[in-house]
Amino acid sequence: MVDTQLASGSSIRIAVVGSGYVGLIAAVCFAELGHSVVCVDIDAGRVAALQSGEVPIYEDRLPELLARHRGLRLKFCTDLHLAVREAEAIFIAVGTPQSPTGEADLSFVEASVREIASELGEYKLVVEKSTVPVLTNQWIRRTLRFNGAPEGSYDVISNPEFLREGTAIEDFLYPDRIVIGADSDRARALARRIYQPLIDGSYFSRPDHLPGPRDLSGGVVYLETSAKSAELIKHASNAFLAMKISFINAVANICELVGSDVSEVAKGVGTDTRIGERFLNAGIGYGGSCFPKDVRAFYKIAESVGYDFELLKAVENINSSQQSYFMKKLRTALWTLKGKQIGVLGLAFKGGTDDVRESPAINIVRALLAEGCSVSVYDPAATQKARAVLPEDEKLVFADGEFDAAKGAHALLVVTEWPQFASLNLAQLRKVMCYPVVIDGRNLYCVQQMAEAGFHYYSMGRPFIEPNQQQGAEHTTP
Ligand code: UGA
């Protein structure tokens, strides 16, 4: 199973349990670092697809790295026992979905741990890679013990993942930091060997290394903490980023009330290096498979250990209000909505991905259909996944491009921050639309420019400027 020829030198035999987002990226990147990797999944169809070279998720650089390592340093299989038996380190990267009550559902983690227990004998490192609440590490140790794993045959460490969808490979190989939460020297030493090419920067001097956003030849920041701290670092990081977004969205709402511009405020606030400019883009709120779930899971685990994390409940409330504000803007612009033709740009929860989980864009499309609108929607990557979650409705059409979605529309809504949406030909857009109305939930356009191009342009937390009437009549016939 393991490619011993390539697995020479400091190569470690790694099993990754789960071939979802985190598991697949980790498996591919560990192979890229020189390790011998087996990625296991119970989904035989997915494994067969991966074995035959299919790329199941839309992710920059993933096809290239899969092609480079598949069948050599990277193998896929459904047999967890075999993979674990041959591995020195086992990364658990199975899903931790939200349970109906908001906590993380850890049943997949527990099921994997029970199976891993039966293969322990020789020392192995068990690594939590899935996003899990604090104290999960203790539960994993206890579950291993209860299921017969001999004492001393394992250590359990926490190694949270900070990758973003769309830039996941780059985030893995060029991380801001690597966090290892371990409680024994033996575990810390093996974890260091796994990440050695990034710790000492030697990966970046390899002639075939993947080029990245910055020079890390001096090595990456490598933090060793307790297992509990590492678990908290993951939840606290995601919750903090979500808080930043909700904070700027709340400020954006004040900006609207007083006639100020949130992009100026965000620039002024974010240039304070203690705050930082990133994640201060106001809009219709955060979505995706991580922030909504992790914010909830974090205040739930806090509650269970005796702390009411009220701040995070406010973060969540502000986030869900943004979509209502956005719909209110549409009503302000169009008066009544029933029977109107609405163009929508975006379905994914953010630009650069085909993921529609907890996507604000999907909620907006649903709300439009519920209001009786006809909707023509375009997304460069997420249409297929959106079809699976949106209702079959004769009033919903999946368009072939931006102008196709805008054709004959009484309003065009921008709900996902795809870069190409920001550079549309405005004169052409004006021509194909029925009314010159654009509601921008991602602040992709310059307010002045849109007014000059003749649009009634509404964005998030920025002023409304009366459009230039010279650019055409209020109503055009497409
Ligand atoms: C997020 C974190 O950024 C990663 O560090 C983390 O590893 C990951 O969750 C995870 O836990 O797996 P991701 O969900 O891929 O990554 O997406 P982000 O790029 O963080 O965006 C999340 C949402 O926030 C998107 O809906 C995006 O549109 C929104 N957002 C982001 C804003 O509304 N404003 C901003 O300024 C930034």
Side-chain angles (χ1 to χ4, degrees):
M1 163 146 308
V2 172
D3 185 346
T4 42
Q5 257 190 332
L6 283 158
S8 60
S10 58
S11 169
I12 311 278
R13 297 188 308 278
I14 292 176
V16 177
V17 183
S19 69
Y21 228 102
V22 172
L24 185 55
I25 301 295
V28 166
C29 290
F30 284 138
E32 173 70 4
L33 294 183
H35 303 305
S36 201
V37 185
V38 179
C39 186
V40 198
D41 205 297
I42 46 169
D43 181 342
R46 190 171 173 95
V47 168
L50 283 161
Q51 282 169 336
S52 68
E54 277 178 45
V55 184
I57 49 176
Y58 179 94
E59 191 61 52
D60 198 27
R61 319 303 287 264
L62 182 59
E64 183 185 342
L65 282 196
L66 270 173
R68 191 184 280 187
H69 300 299
R70 188 177 53 86
L72 299 167
R73 258 180 273 177
L74 172 62
K75 293 182 177 153
F76 296 96
C77 77
T78 51
D79 189 341
L80 186 140
H81 289 267
L82 186 60
V84 168
R85 208 173 303 144
E86 300 202 5
E88 296 162 85
I90 304 131
F91 284 75
I92 302 172
V94 295
T96 51
Q98 187 179 302
S99 70
T101 43
E103 292 93 352
D105 171 356
L106 299 173
S107 56
F108 298 117
V109 174
E110 189 184 355
S112 313
V113 171
R114 282 206 302 264
E115 288 197 59
I116 291 166
S118 63
E119 294 299 337
L120 293 179
E122 233 175 87
Y123 178 83
K124 294 181 194 297
L125 189 63
V126 178
V127 190
E128 289 173 359
K129 195 73 172 158
S130 307
T131 298
V132 291
V134 64
L135 304 179
T136 301
N137 195 290
Q138 284 184 1
W139 280 108
I140 294 180
R141 288 179 212 209
R142 184 184 287 193
T143 306
L144 288 173
R145 218 170 34 243
F146 283 172
N147 285 276
E151 208 52 50
S153 67
Y154 58 88
D155 271 309
V156 184
I157 67 169
S158 165
N159 172 213
E161 190 48 70
F162 303 104
L163 55 84
R164 292 160 299 167
E165 291 188 17
T167 53
I169 301 272
E170 189 178 290
D171 290 342
F172 192 102
L173 295 171
Y174 291 82
D176 286 345
R177 78 295 204 196
I178 294 168
V179 174
I180 296 291
D183 299 319
S184 87
D185 287 339
R186 191 175 187 179
R188 276 188 286 272
L190 185 49
R192 248 178 265 138
R193 280 179 58 207
I194 293 171
Y195 285 107
Q196 196 56 37
L198 298 180
I199 296 172
D200 61 18
S202 58
Y203 170 70
F204 309 102
S205 55
R206 260 176 39 187
D208 62 344
H209 78 278
L210 226 67
R214 59 186 178 281
D215 177 17
L216 284 179
S217 52
V220 306
V221 175
Y222 189 78
L223 300 176
E224 290 177 334
T225 68
S226 71
K228 286 179 201 166
S229 296
E231 291 168 331
L232 279 170
I233 286 169
K234 172 66 193 182
H235 263 164
S237 300
N238 273 4
F240 191 88
L241 291 169
M243 180 185 73
K244 255 185 125 175
I245 297 168
S246 279
F247 184 86
I248 203 64
N249 282 336
V251 171
N253 296 331
I254 299 170
C255 288
E256 279 185 23
L257 293 169
V258 301
S260 165
D261 183 333
V262 71
S263 48
E264 290 176 356
V265 177
K267 179 94 186 153
V269 171
T271 41
D272 183 327
T273 51
R274 292 170 303 173
I275 297 172
E277 289 186 62
R278 292 165 76 189
F279 279 69
L280 285 181
N281 298 320
I284 48 170
Y286 59 78
S289 64
C290 305
F291 286 176
K293 168 173 82 83
D294 291 349
V295 166
R296 226 159 293 155
F298 198 19
Y299 72 65
K300 282 287 181 181
I301 188 76
E303 206 170 272
S304 78
V305 296
Y307 182 73
D308 185 359
F309 208 152
E310 282 176 287
L311 174 64
L312 293 187
K313 294 177 190 167
V315 165
E316 196 177 50
N317 288 337
I318 292 169
N319 195 55
S320 50
S321 309
Q322 285 309 102
Q323 290 168 28
S324 322
Y325 280 137
F326 184 75
M327 286 299 289
K328 206 164 135 195
K329 279 177 196 291
L330 180 62
R331 270 187 217 101
T332 308
L334 290 189
W335 189 19
T336 65
L337 295 187
K338 195 171 171 190
K340 293 265 164 65
Q341 175 69 38
I342 309 294
V344 176
L345 296 186
L347 287 164
F349 80 96
K350 65 172 186 178
T353 177
D354 64 349
D355 197 339
V356 297
R357 285 176 290 174
E358 299 251 1
S359 171
I362 296 285
N363 293 342
I364 296 293
V365 171
R366 284 205 186 104
L368 293 170
L369 293 171
E371 294 272 2
C373 300
S374 293
V375 181
S376 182
V377 56
Y378 172 68
D379 188 287
T383 303
Q384 203 188 333
K385 289 200 170 153
R387 274 184 201 276
V389 297
L390 283 169
E392 284 239 3
D393 191 321
E394 57 182 17
K395 289 207 168 92
L396 174 63
V397 171
F398 292 93
D400 288 332
E402 291 89 347
F403 294 104
D404 191 26
K407 202 168 151 200
H410 293 102
L412 181 69
L413 314 188
V414 183
V415 285
T416 303
E417 66 274 44
W418 279 100
Q420 61 260 51
F421 292 166
S423 52
L424 297 181
N425 179 320
L426 296 181
Q428 196 186 339
L429 186 64
R430 177 76 186 78
K431 268 196 206 122
V432 300
M433 290 181 68
C434 181
Y435 289 1
V437 174
V438 174
I439 324 274
D440 184 354
R442 297 296 190 169
N443 289 354
L444 296 189
Y445 286 94
C446 162
V447 175
Q448 190 67 41
Q449 226 174 358
M450 289 301 273
E452 280 165 15
F455 284 100
H456 291 246
Y457 176 68
Y458 302 83
S459 55
M460 308 298 283
R462 300 187 302 169
F464 174 83
I465 301 183
E466 280 302 327
N468 176 1
Q469 303 298 347
Q470 256 67 65
Q471 290 301 318
E474 286 285 293
H475 298 188
T476 50
T477 314

